[in-house]
Amino acid sequence: MVAGKRILLIIGGGIAAYKALDLIRRLRERGAAVTPVMTRSAAEFVTPLSVAALAGEAVHQELFDLTQEAEMGHIALSRVADLIVVAPATADLMARMAGGRAEDLASTLLLATDTRVLLAPAMNVRMWQHPATRRNLATLQRDGVLTVGPNEGDMACGEFGPGRMAEPMEILAAIERALAAGPLAGRRVLVTSGPTHEPIDPVRYIANRSSGAQGTALAAALRDLGAQVVFVTGPASVPPPAGVEVVRVETAREMMAAVEAALPVEAAVFAAAVADWRVANAAASKVKKGSGGLSLDFAENPDILASVSRRGEGRPRLVVGFAAETDDVIAHATAKRARKGCDWIVANDVSPATGIMGGSENAVTLITAEGAEDWPRMGKDEVARRLARRIADALG
Ligand code: CTP
């Protein structure tokens, strides 16, 4: 709920600034107050008059504005809000934030504030992908800054790719999440989910029976506790939950790259049923029958859970893996926890008789450093809620 809340909206200088006008309108419609701040270059894209008219409040633009300073100093201005939103957050503004600069009103407010900050980045694809922006983003996320978007699509500059600012309704949803009270409010967590598809040729692949139901339920449960969830999913048969950042992948190697790109996070839960093997001799064009038998060579896929668990710098504080076993569940899962180096293993018995794989229920054993804890058989949603609460407790 944004009603009764005050948003300090910093509008950066980019073509997406026009969407900030719509965002102001939607925030006001829902009963939020908006204090607008514009950078000098933002005023090249939208007029301060339009912004002020929609916000119903004066626009703050200059660091050294004696009239405004007399009414409210910039330190006070940085503290009046329940949340600071930067939309569009340009590459330059992000760089200045990451570097702790205070050379204009916007960057000074961002440095002086003790309020949470949500960025809606918007920039050219190459700028978004540039190592400098990746570095700045990682620094900001480590500092606890929240982000929404950018989305992939056609860009005003004529290129295609990630860099388009999130739509006003998406930013609004992110604002609602950021303001929602919950034990994981503002915490960034990662969930992998679903199966992976490993191509044999352009039309055929090797897959497994995972539906993605448990990972999806878990992402939703973490979201409901206020977390900012990055949801990296293979081709699952259930749709991803609303209100999480969805990253779609096909193969194990794509999943690995997406997970690396999503770090840093405070907790990471690996619920995906990743294929352990990929076809090493996958064909570039469709394999025709009649050319004799088909023989496949396999190569081992990277173990995403083990690789994240063994990271030095940038390891999430809590790493949780799943273990799908068919016999000696506790012994195998305990050994897997040690082998992979994760903190917890959520073990389940997937022998066909249990009906768990692809079903709606789960009976799990939670393996931690303290030992094994059997949970009664319950719906996957309930397992997810219980696990999300345990994660919230562990992060403190
Ligand atoms: N996992 C992963 N990357 C892989 C394989 C598995 O991140 N390449 C993760 C899964 O998401 C799950 C955990 O590791 O959280 C356990 O996966 P599982 O397939 O049960 O374990 P394996 O490593 O395949 O071990 P085994 O074949 O001995 O059961």
Side-chain angles (χ1 to χ4, degrees), residues 161-244:
R164 267 167 74 113
M165 188 167 87
E167 296 304 319
M169 289 307 283
E170 293 173 293
I171 301 176
L172 190 65
I175 291 172
E176 279 174 341
R177 282 199 302 282
L179 291 172
L184 291 175
R187 295 273 173 73
R188 192 175 149 82
V189 303
L190 169 90
V191 177
T192 70
S193 182
T196 62
H197 285 182
E198 306 296 331
I200 295 171
D201 68 14
V203 297
R204 304 180 179 93
Y205 56 80
I206 291 175
N208 62 62
R209 293 185 199 282
S210 164
S211 63
Q214 187 63 80
T216 301
L218 191 60
L222 290 162
R223 173 205 63 195
D224 290 345
L225 295 185
Q228 187 185 16
V229 182
V230 185
F231 184 64
V232 178
T233 177
S237 50
V238 297
V244 304

Side-chain angles (χ1 to χ4, degrees), residues 192 270-272 274-276 301-305 321-325 336 339-340:
T192 70
F270 295 88
V274 185
D276 290 325
N301 270 329
D303 190 318
I304 308 167
L305 170 63
F322 274 69
E325 309 288 351
K336 195 169 284 180
R339 197 165 65 241
K340 301 212 182 199

Side-chain angles (χ1 to χ4, degrees), residues 52-396:
L54 285 165
E57 289 190 23
V59 175
H60 300 267
Q61 285 179 284
E62 297 298 331
L63 187 52
F64 301 107
D65 181 324
L66 285 182
T67 322
Q68 285 188 352
E69 203 61 24
E71 286 165 7
M72 187 192 295
H74 57 258
I75 300 292
L77 185 59
S78 75
R79 309 276 166 84
V80 294
D82 296 292
L83 183 72
I84 297 185
V85 178
V86 187
T90 60
D92 177 62
L93 204 43
M94 287 172 59
R96 283 188 280 146
M97 260 183 101
R101 308 291 295 263
E103 55 205 11
D104 64 355
L105 180 60
S107 51
T108 303
L109 291 176
L110 288 162
L111 190 64
T113 194
D114 55 4
T115 307
R116 268 185 319 126
V117 177
L118 170 71
L119 301 184
M123 65 198 71
N124 166 275
V125 184
R126 301 263 177 279
M127 289 168 85
W128 175 249
Q129 289 168 339
H130 194 283
T133 305
R134 311 310 306 161
R135 257 194 326 269
N136 292 333
L137 179 69
T139 301
L140 292 168
Q141 286 176 335
R142 244 193 318 272
D143 292 347
V145 168
L146 307 173
T147 57
V148 53
N151 296 339
E152 191 166 283
D154 286 320
M155 308 203 47
C157 53
E159 291 186 57
F160 180 89
R164 267 167 74 113
M165 188 167 87
E167 296 304 319
M169 289 307 283
E170 293 173 293
I171 301 176
L172 190 65
I175 291 172
E176 279 174 341
R177 282 199 302 282
L179 291 172
L184 291 175
R187 295 273 173 73
R188 192 175 149 82
V189 303
L190 169 90
V191 177
T192 70
S193 182
T196 62
H197 285 182
E198 306 296 331
I200 295 171
D201 68 14
V203 297
R204 304 180 179 93
Y205 56 80
I206 291 175
N208 62 62
R209 293 185 199 282
S210 164
S211 63
Q214 187 63 80
T216 301
L218 191 60
L222 290 162
R223 173 205 63 195
D224 290 345
L225 295 185
Q228 187 185 16
V229 182
V230 185
F231 184 64
V232 178
T233 177
S237 50
V238 297
V244 304
E245 183 184 331
V246 181
V247 184
R248 292 175 202 276
V249 297
E250 291 259 330
T251 66
R253 286 191 292 178
E254 286 169 13
M255 188 171 275
M256 176 84 191
V259 165
E260 291 280 341
L263 298 178
V265 294
E266 291 199 43
V269 187
F270 295 88
V274 185
D276 290 325
W277 305 87
R278 66 176 178 276
V279 179
N281 59 339
S285 50
K286 190 180 168 197
V287 179
K288 295 289 189 192
K289 61 178 174 292
S291 51
L294 177 62
S295 141
L296 301 177
D297 297 333
F298 289 94
E300 211 164 300
N301 270 329
D303 190 318
I304 308 167
L305 170 63
S307 139
V308 171
S309 297
R310 304 224 181 273
R311 280 174 78 100
E313 207 195 325
R315 184 192 192 275
R317 274 168 57 209
L318 182 69
V319 180
V320 183
F322 274 69
E325 309 288 351
T326 52
D327 48 286
D328 280 342
V329 176
I330 293 181
H332 280 138
T334 304
K336 195 169 284 180
R337 176 179 171 274
R339 197 165 65 241
K340 301 212 182 199
C342 57
D343 302 300
W344 299 350
I345 283 272
V346 183
N348 52 8
D349 185 345
V350 291
S351 20
T354 64
I356 282 172
M357 197 94 172
S360 62
E361 289 198 325
N362 212 349
V364 308
T365 303
L366 182 66
I367 316 267
T368 68
E370 278 75 51
E373 205 181 288
D374 278 324
W375 290 5
R377 189 169 172 131
M378 56 182 104
K380 286 185 178 173
D381 286 351
E382 187 49 33
V383 170
R385 280 193 289 273
R386 225 168 135 154
L387 191 59
R389 282 195 298 271
R390 287 292 287 264
I391 291 172
D393 289 347
L395 292 180

